[in-house]
């Protein structure tokens, strides 16, 4: 019977996504559907799946793997220094509302969630709905990071400020309850140990990170298909951290989550992440979700009047705990999107399952209460994505052009700025020379600077741009400003060096910082060589109907896909792919990889749409 139950679960795991795709069931997240399938197969309805030692082991491994992958979802780049928030005075002068950073809004939102959850926890105790206010608060403050990420990916919002903000709120909604649950179990659990021992978990994580930090730098030279060293490393991290966490009295899911963070910080290649997703979501995690549903007996639960009262009460508590998110999101985003963000952050399931699993072990929750918490959570997963998908509309800031600031206004930079202004760029030029300002201010948007001292330039908000181009003739000054712009947080910094001697001394340093350099003599030499080897090069580069473009592939919708199967392949010509420091000559069968830099030719209109589509972080 053990083998039969496992076979039924695996069959259901295979059939469920096929049925969803066949009937285009996109309203419900896959995790919720799998729980519903578990309810269908369990004692609630068909009673063909029964818990046993094998399924319990696989289910426990599933929740551990789910928390590991959740740890790998944390985007630490959100904490990097970005554009400074606009002050209220400056905003008033500009006629705009104050702009707050995603990190500030997310932290404020989750602080409001935590306070609301605590109040609701004590209300549950005062009304007699649930006697443990602390455990109730932990459950009410949870957010399902997986469901939020899936919803944001479908809307292609992960690279936008709104998507970043909602993602970070959800990340806190998984991290904070996880730590709170660990502290709760340490204080109230019978086998709980001293809280200071929890520091050993993070000490162990630091040691593992330091030990394996250079792993992926030499991984390519030693990896073989028969060894899969990156996957072996992942499992080693998972079970090392789980064993350490449980040894000091913490929950194993905390160790798994921290292991995921360590793996993310090691910066594995996209292929590694894809294979880990395949192992988790292809085998272990569906078993966990389905067994969570199979563990419910709705006949017994719904036969109890107390449970019928608890389900709507807990459902309302899940929603009320997230109301504060709306007001925090309104600090930057429009009303409809603030409501949509609140709705999607009310969706919770994964951490609820993890918390209830620990609560059952500690015997602090009854079967009726556990079932009510879970059924109410399932309802939030139905309502949250539905309201988000119907309520979200694009923000004005998401539709704006990329901002490019030129430092240096001269015969080389002004024509480039004029041509880019006609494309998808918002151009501003800066100069410290009054004669250049008077010469060009009628042709382009130029601002006169009193000096090019680094601190002064930063104070003038010159570095508040997506791209900063240092086109000044002074190579030393370009070098200083380029380093300052990169440390400020500018995504792309392009710097001009006419003096090859100055460039030779600093080129390696600048490239290590991610700064792009160019030298006019080298460009001219390369162009002349191209004209000799390929006579139509100049016509291609100067044509008004077709030009050369480049885009970094960030949209996972097109990764691991052959070039010939791209829907727009007939409108472009891909000439080169730059991957892992090397050029790849493409064919129709060439498979695209995440972060490939694709060099292609097309019309400006087609290029604009393709660069937007391929460059979206999805």
């Amino acid at each position: 019977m053990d083998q039969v139950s496992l076979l039924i679960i695996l069959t259901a795991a295979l059939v469920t996504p096929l049925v969803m795709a066949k009937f285009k069931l996109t309203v419900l997240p896959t995790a919720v559907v799998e729980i519903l399938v578990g309810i269908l197969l369990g004692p609630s309805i068909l009673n063909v799946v029964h818990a046993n030692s094998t399924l319990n082991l696989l289910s426990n491994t599933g929740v551990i793997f789910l928390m590991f992958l959740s740890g790998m979802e944390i985007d630490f780049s959100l904490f990097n220094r970005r554009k400074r928030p606009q002050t209220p005075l400056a905003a008033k002068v500009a006629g705009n509302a104050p702009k707050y950073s995603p990190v500030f809004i997310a932290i404020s939102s989750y602080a409001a969630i935590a306070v609301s959850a605590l109040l609701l926890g004590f209300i549950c105790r005062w009304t007699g709905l649930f006697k443990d206010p602390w455990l109730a608060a932990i459950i009410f403050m949870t957010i399902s990071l997986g469901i939020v990420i899936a919803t944001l990916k479908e809307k292609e919002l992960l690279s936008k400020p709104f998507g970043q903000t909602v993602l970070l709120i959800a990340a806190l909604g998984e991290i904070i309850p996880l730590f709170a649950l660990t502290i709760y179990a340490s204080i109230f659990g019978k086998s709980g140990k001293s809280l200071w021992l929890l520091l050993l978990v993070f000490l162990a994580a630091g040691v593992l990170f330091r030990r394996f930090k250079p792993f992926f730098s030499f991984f390519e030279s030693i990896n073989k298909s028969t060894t899969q060293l990156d996957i072996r490393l992942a499992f080693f991290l998972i079970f090392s951290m789980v064993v350490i966490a449980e040894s000091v009295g913490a929950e194993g899911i905390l160790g798994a989550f921290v292991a995921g963070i360590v793996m993310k910080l090691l910066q594995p290649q996209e292929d590694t992440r894809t294979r880990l997703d395949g192992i988790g979501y292809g085998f272990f995690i569906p078993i966990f979700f389905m067994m969570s549903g199979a563990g419910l007996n709705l006949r017994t639960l719904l036969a109890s009047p107390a449970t019928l009262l608890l389900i709507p009460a807990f459902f309302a508590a899940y929603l009320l705990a997230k109301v504060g998110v709306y007001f925090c999101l309104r600090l930057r985003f429009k009303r409809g999107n603030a409501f949509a963000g609140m709705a999607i952050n009310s969706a919770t399931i994964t951490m609820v399952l993890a918390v209830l699993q620990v609560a059952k072990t500690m015997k602090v929750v009854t079967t009726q209460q556990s079932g009510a918490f879970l059924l109410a959570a399932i309802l939030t997963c139905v309502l949250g994505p539905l309201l988000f998908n119907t309520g979200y509309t694009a923000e004005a800031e998401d539709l704006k052009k990329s901002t490019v600031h030129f430092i240096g206004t001269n015969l080389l930079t002004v024509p480039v700025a004029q041509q880019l202004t006609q494309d998808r760029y918002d151009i501003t030029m800066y100069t410290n020379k009054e004669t250049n300002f008077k010469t060009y201010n009628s042709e382009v948007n130029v601002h006169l600077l009193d000096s090019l001292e680094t601190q002064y330039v930063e104070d003038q908000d010159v570095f508040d741009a997506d791209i900063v181009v240092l086109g000044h003739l002074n190579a030393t000054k370009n070098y200083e400003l380029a380093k300052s712009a990169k440390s400020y947080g500018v995504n792309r910094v392009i710097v001009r060096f006419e003096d090859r001697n100055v460039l030779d001394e600093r080129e390696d340093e600048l490239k290590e910082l991610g700064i792009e350099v160019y030298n006019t003599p080298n460009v001219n030499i390369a162009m002349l060589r191209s004209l000799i080897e390929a006579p139509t090069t100049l016509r291609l580069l100067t044509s008004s109907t077709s030009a050369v473009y480049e885009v970094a592939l960030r949209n996972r919708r097109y990764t691991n896909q052959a070039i010939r199967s791209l829907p727009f392949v007939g409108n472009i010509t891909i000439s080169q792919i730059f991957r892992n420091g090397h050029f790849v000559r493409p064919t129709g069968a060439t498979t695209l990889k995440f972060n490939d830099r694709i060099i292609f030719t097309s019309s400006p209109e087609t290029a604009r749409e393709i660069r937007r589509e391929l460059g979206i972080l999805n």
Side-chain angles (χ1 to χ4, degrees):
M1 289 301 296
D2 289 0
Q3 294 176 341
V4 172
S5 293
L6 176 58
L7 179 60
I8 293 173
I9 287 291
L10 293 179
T11 303
L14 173 64
V15 173
T16 298
L18 294 176
V19 173
M20 292 180 66
K22 175 68 174 178
F23 295 99
K24 299 180 180 180
L25 302 176
T26 59
V27 176
L28 295 179
T30 304
V32 177
V33 175
E34 288 170 345
I35 293 174
L36 296 176
V37 170
I39 293 174
L40 174 67
L41 298 175
S44 299
I45 302 177
L46 298 180
N47 197 27
V48 294
V49 169
H50 306 277
N52 54 62
S53 58
T54 302
L55 284 174
N56 288 338
L57 175 61
L58 294 175
S59 178
N60 291 335
T61 306
V63 70
I64 287 174
F65 218 91
L66 178 63
M67 298 312 298
F68 170 76
L69 294 178
S70 296
M72 288 189 67
E73 292 287 359
I74 305 301
D75 184 5
F76 294 97
S77 66
L78 293 178
F79 297 94
N80 291 342
R81 186 178 182 183
R82 304 301 297 169
K83 299 178 185 179
R84 292 176 296 176
Q86 195 175 22
T87 63
L89 178 60
K92 184 177 180 180
V93 171
N96 299 319
K99 299 293 184 182
Y100 297 89
S101 71
V103 174
F104 174 81
I105 295 176
I107 293 176
S108 301
S109 297
Y110 199 75
I113 291 174
V115 172
S116 300
L118 282 171
L119 291 175
L120 290 167
F122 281 99
I123 290 174
C124 285
R125 186 178 72 171
W126 293 332
T127 56
L129 295 176
F130 192 70
K131 67 178 181 180
D132 193 328
W134 303 106
L135 185 62
I138 293 173
I139 293 176
F140 293 147
M141 69 173 65
T142 61
I143 301 172
S144 181
L145 180 61
I147 289 176
V148 172
I149 288 176
T151 306
L152 294 176
K153 280 183 178 181
E154 290 176 1
K155 285 285 188 178
E156 299 182 340
L157 295 175
L158 285 178
S159 61
K160 295 180 170 57
F162 179 78
Q164 292 176 356
T165 305
V166 173
L167 174 64
L168 188 51
I169 296 172
L172 292 173
E174 214 161 67
I175 296 172
I176 302 301
L178 188 57
F179 284 104
L181 177 64
T182 301
I183 294 172
Y184 173 88
S186 298
I187 295 175
F188 298 105
K190 294 180 180 179
S191 59
K193 299 181 180 180
S194 300
L195 284 176
W196 68 269
L197 290 176
L198 294 178
L199 297 176
L200 295 178
V201 176
F202 303 100
L203 178 62
V207 171
L208 289 172
F209 171 72
R210 187 176 181 84
R211 172 63 183 83
F212 292 102
K213 188 175 181 180
F215 179 86
F216 286 99
S217 62
F218 64 87
F219 167 70
E220 280 298 320
S221 62
I222 61 176
N223 187 41
K224 299 178 181 179
S225 60
T226 56
T227 56
Q228 300 290 330
L229 287 176
D230 50 345
I231 306 301
R232 297 187 187 193
L233 173 63
F235 276 98
F236 172 77
L237 291 175
I238 292 171
F239 289 101
S240 294
M241 292 306 303
V242 168
V243 169
I244 293 171
E246 292 181 346
S247 298
V248 300
E251 295 301 321
I253 54 177
L254 173 64
F257 188 83
V258 174
I261 293 177
V262 172
M263 190 68 177
K264 178 65 176 284
L265 292 174
L266 291 176
Q267 297 180 336
Q269 296 180 359
E270 184 65 18
D271 285 346
T272 299
R273 174 58 189 271
T274 300
R275 293 199 301 276
L276 288 171
D277 280 347
I279 294 171
Y281 290 104
F283 183 68
F284 293 109
I285 295 175
I287 295 177
F288 165 64
F289 283 128
M290 289 188 181
M291 288 307 298
S292 298
L296 293 174
N297 191 334
L298 295 186
R299 297 175 183 177
T300 303
L301 290 174
L302 298 180
S304 170
T307 305
L308 294 176
L309 175 64
L310 289 176
I311 293 173
F314 290 160
F315 175 69
Y318 282 131
L319 300 181
L320 290 174
K322 312 305 191 302
V323 169
V325 174
Y326 171 84
F327 299 99
C328 293
L329 289 176
R330 281 291 292 138
L331 294 173
R332 177 165 179 170
F333 306 108
K334 54 189 179 183
R335 186 176 290 107
N337 289 347
F339 178 79
M342 177 192 70
I344 192 60
N345 276 300
S346 68
T348 180
I349 190 68
T350 51
M351 272 305 300
V352 170
L353 290 169
V355 173
L356 291 176
Q357 189 178 53
V358 174
K360 289 177 182 178
T361 303
M362 296 175 60
K363 298 181 179 179
V364 294
V365 62
T366 66
T367 302
Q368 287 77 16
Q369 291 169 338
S370 176
F373 275 121
L374 182 54
L375 290 174
I378 292 174
L379 292 176
T380 66
C381 292
V382 174
L383 183 65
L386 180 62
L387 293 178
F388 182 87
N389 289 329
T390 56
Y392 175 80
T393 55
E395 290 281 339
E397 63 181 311
D398 295 337
L399 302 175
K400 69 178 183 180
K401 297 180 178 181
S402 297
T403 303
V404 182
H405 288 181
F406 284 81
I407 302 177
T409 306
N410 47 56
L411 288 173
L412 176 65
T413 57
V414 169
V416 175
Q418 289 175 325
Q419 292 184 27
L420 290 176
T421 301
Q422 303 171 9
D423 204 344
R424 60 188 186 95
Y425 298 98
D426 182 11
I427 305 297
T428 304
M429 306 195 74
Y430 297 88
T431 182
N432 64 326
K433 296 182 179 181
E434 188 171 355
T435 54
N436 287 14
F437 173 75
K438 291 180 179 178
T439 301
Y440 298 113
N441 69 343
S442 61
E443 301 179 27
V444 289
N445 180 20
V446 186
H447 293 261
L448 181 63
L449 300 175
D450 293 336
S451 76
L452 290 181
E453 292 300 320
T454 300
Q455 189 59 51
Y456 174 77
V457 171
E458 182 176 322
D459 291 340
Q460 299 304 305
D461 297 332
V462 179
F463 295 152
D464 285 343
D466 301 303
I467 303 172
V468 169
V469 180
L470 284 307
H472 204 276
L473 291 174
N474 188 326
T476 303
K477 180 58 64 179
N478 282 347
Y479 166 75
E480 296 173 355
L481 290 171
K483 290 178 61 178
S484 179
K486 200 63 180 179
S487 64
Y488 184 83
V490 179
N491 185 32
R492 291 187 63 198
V493 179
I494 303 172
V495 56
R496 171 189 183 188
F497 282 96
E498 294 305 312
D499 189 338
R500 185 72 222 189
N501 294 326
V502 176
L503 176 59
D504 289 340
E505 297 175 1
R506 299 168 169 83
E507 187 170 11
D508 291 341
E509 177 191 1
L510 293 175
K511 287 184 177 179
E512 287 181 3
L513 294 173
I515 296 173
E516 303 163 57
V517 301
Y518 75 94
N519 174 267
T520 303
N522 285 357
V523 172
N524 291 337
I525 292 170
M527 176 57 67
L528 180 57
R529 176 184 171 184
S530 296
L531 285 172
I532 294 172
E533 295 179 342
T536 58
T537 300
L538 183 61
R539 182 180 299 175
L540 176 64
L541 293 177
T542 58
S543 171
S544 60
T545 60
S546 182
V548 179
Y549 299 92
E550 179 180 334
V551 61
L553 178 57
R554 304 283 289 167
N555 193 336
R556 288 186 173 87
R557 180 177 299 172
Y558 300 101
T559 58
N560 300 314
Q561 188 170 342
I563 290 178
R564 67 164 65 96
S565 63
L566 295 175
F568 43 77
V569 69
N571 300 323
I572 66 173
T573 300
I574 298 179
S575 56
Q576 293 281 357
I577 296 176
F578 191 71
R579 177 185 298 165
N580 297 329
H582 303 283
F583 282 102
V584 176
R585 188 174 298 278
T587 66
T590 301
T591 301
L592 298 177
K593 300 295 183 182
F594 187 78
N595 272 338
D596 277 355
R597 300 198 72 87
I598 302 171
I599 303 169
F600 66 95
T601 57
S602 74
S603 67
E605 294 76 16
T606 301
R608 189 178 300 116
E609 178 62 25
I610 290 175
R611 292 172 74 179
R612 186 200 69 81
E613 181 70 14
L614 295 180
I616 290 175
L617 180 60
N618 183 26

